[in-house]
Amino acid sequence: MSTGSPSSLASTKRRLTHVASHLRTPKLKVVVCRDLGPNVMPLLRDRPEIDLVVWPEDKPCERPWLLENIRGAAGVLVMLSDKVNQELIDAAGPSLKVASTMSVGYEHVDLPVVAKAGVRIGYTPDVLTDAVADLTVMLALMASRNGGEAVSLVQSGGWPSFSWSPFGLCGPQISASPFSPKRTVGFLGFGRIAQATLARLVPFGITHCLFTSNPSSTADPAFEAAIAAKYGVQVRRVGLDELARESDVLVVLAPGGARTHHVVNEEVLRKMKKTAVLVNTARGTVVDSDALARALREGWIWGAGLDVVEGEPNVTADHPLVKEPRAVVLPHLGSATIETRLGMATLAAKNLLGGLGLEEGMPAELDVKSRA
Ligand code: DGY
């Protein structure tokens, strides 16, 4: 058996003293709104300092259960569907120190309210960037190449009556070609995921990149030049009008919330090219669903790839967008790879432990004050 170095012995001793002092003090109540699975739950279950309460069912946590169980809690780990608002903070009482969300988005967190209550917020940036960028590209391809229509044709037994023909089920090509040498991707919102999407689209033959970002941020030509040099495409920050007019693929990657509500509306959609596709892997509220359904029905644009729809998950088969053959609609799967969800769950658990003071710092704390 290894006896360990003096410094590791000292650190073990410090940890044991820390645990012992917690054992003498009352346990910290922590509520978890969804079981995080066998790889991640032990991070919380094995902590002697914690009294863990976990929503027992494999479906979204019911609000009355959460409001009842959060009373006296020091921490809570929530999903996108659990609102962190005045009601929750009042139900928890002054003991609540931290709310950790297993998501990069935080529209479900009332920032002014948590800032006032002094509750720290953990979230999960970075770990999901690649997965969401991958799915964004998948939707861009599906929407341009009639993926939705083609899959349902085969599934409904229609292939025998669809024979290969010169232009049957053709769609616009994402890659540049002699017939369309300039291919432009436009990003509404140009953060980490948008840039990772650009990195993936360039090898496909995208030649130009336009982006529109937070109107309050100042123009930064050096940033544009750096992105252009990094990816080998022309890059320009433009206004929404130009973004709509020039993009062959228009990707929505802006945060949700009041500031971006229905930014993609009838006016924007009418300016887009008839051969353009719209992809939304951010938040459903950024796009006006009725206007988009009309744009697809009346051929203002070619197609749409949507991972998010306003009002989800209540998006049923009779939803105007689901009924559109040129819309490929997925049930919010952007981050749904096994590796990414493990990363998100682990980070959410670590943020919680850090916010409770049981680990050193929160690895990804939201700067609530600057955003409130
Ligand atoms: C997030 O994390 O905000 C995504 O929308 C869910 O993966």
Side-chain angles (χ1 to χ4, degrees):
M1 194 180 99
S2 160
T3 49
S5 66
S7 73
S8 81
L9 282 176
S11 112
T12 308
K13 193 172 161 206
R14 265 200 310 277
R15 173 140 173 74
L16 288 175
T17 315
H18 181 65
V19 170
S21 80
H22 273 286
L23 288 177
R24 281 193 301 275
T25 52
K27 289 190 174 204
L28 297 168
K29 183 177 180 185
V30 166
V31 178
V32 174
C33 292
R34 203 76 190 248
D35 193 302
L36 302 176
N39 290 303
V40 181
M41 283 313 283
L43 292 178
L44 303 173
R45 272 213 180 98
D46 295 351
R47 297 300 298 235
E49 311 93 325
I50 288 181
D51 175 16
L52 197 62
V53 182
V54 184
W55 165 246
E57 295 186 47
D58 189 17
K59 61 178 192 178
C61 175
E62 284 168 9
R63 193 71 175 171
W65 180 92
L66 179 56
L67 294 178
E68 190 185 324
N69 282 278
I70 201 164
R71 202 175 312 129
V76 61
L77 195 152
V78 299
M79 305 291 123
L80 284 171
S81 44
D82 306 304
K83 289 206 180 327
V84 180
N85 56 11
Q86 193 68 56
E87 179 189 49
L88 191 79
I89 284 175
D90 289 346
S95 54
L96 192 66
K97 288 187 171 56
V98 56
S100 169
T101 180
M102 186 181 154
S103 63
V104 68
Y106 44 83
E107 297 75 19
H108 52 303
V109 180
D110 188 330
L111 297 178
V113 162
V114 295
K116 188 159 172 240
V119 172
R120 297 172 76 184
I121 301 295
Y123 71 140
T124 62
D126 300 318
V127 286
L128 46 60
T129 299
D130 287 330
V132 181
D134 290 348
L135 193 105
T136 305
V137 174
M138 174 178 130
L139 281 174
L141 288 166
M142 290 280 283
S144 3
R145 299 294 297 276
N146 305 311
E149 214 173 337
V151 168
S152 46
L153 176 118
V154 174
Q155 285 178 340
S156 63
W159 196 351
S161 51
F162 171 82
S163 56
W164 193 98
S165 65
F167 294 102
L169 273 182
C170 284
Q173 181 164 311
I174 286 197
S175 332
S177 75
F179 299 100
S180 48
K182 179 181 178 197
R183 303 304 282 163
T184 302
V185 60
F187 291 101
L188 178 61
F190 200 54
R192 291 174 290 251
I193 300 175
Q195 289 167 41
T197 303
L198 174 63
R200 285 157 173 74
L201 285 175
V202 170
F204 273 91
I206 283 287
T207 55
H208 290 66
C209 165
L210 302 176
F211 69 92
T212 300
S213 57
N214 186 348
S216 64
S217 65
T218 49
D220 184 355
F223 171 74
E224 290 164 40
I227 297 285
K230 185 166 178 191
Y231 298 111
V233 286
Q234 294 192 34
V235 179
R236 224 156 33 85
R237 180 184 165 130
V238 295
L240 188 53
D241 274 16
E242 190 173 349
L243 191 81
R245 270 190 279 105
E246 295 299 321
S247 299
D248 295 299
V249 179
L250 202 166
V251 181
V252 177
L253 276 166
R259 283 184 210 165
T260 56
H261 185 259
H262 287 193
V263 165
V264 179
N265 55 16
E266 172 167 346
E267 203 187 328
V268 168
L269 290 161
R270 280 191 185 277
K271 286 183 185 136
M272 287 175 66
K273 298 179 185 177
K274 285 193 173 7
T275 50
V277 296
L278 178 82
V279 177
N280 186 2
T281 39
R283 287 294 180 263
T285 50
V286 184
V287 176
D288 177 343
S289 294
D290 290 333
L292 177 57
R294 198 161 155 223
L296 292 166
R297 202 162 48 245
E298 297 180 5
W300 312 346
I301 67 171
W302 184 268
L306 309 170
D307 187 40
V308 287
V309 172
E310 187 169 16
E312 64 180 72
N314 300 316
V315 178
T316 46
D318 58 355
H319 189 284
L321 284 171
V322 178
K323 287 199 308 199
E324 277 311 313
R326 291 267 180 89
V328 178
V329 184
L330 301 179
H332 205 146
L333 298 180
S335 62
T337 68
I338 297 159
E339 295 82 353
T340 291
R341 289 287 168 85
L342 277 173
M344 291 168 72
T346 305
L347 184 51
K350 290 189 168 167
N351 278 335
L352 186 67
L353 292 170
L356 292 169
L358 301 178
E359 294 284 339
E360 221 171 280
M362 293 170 68
E365 178 172 9
L366 188 68
D367 181 2
V368 171
K369 288 219 171 82
S370 75
R371 290 173 161 98

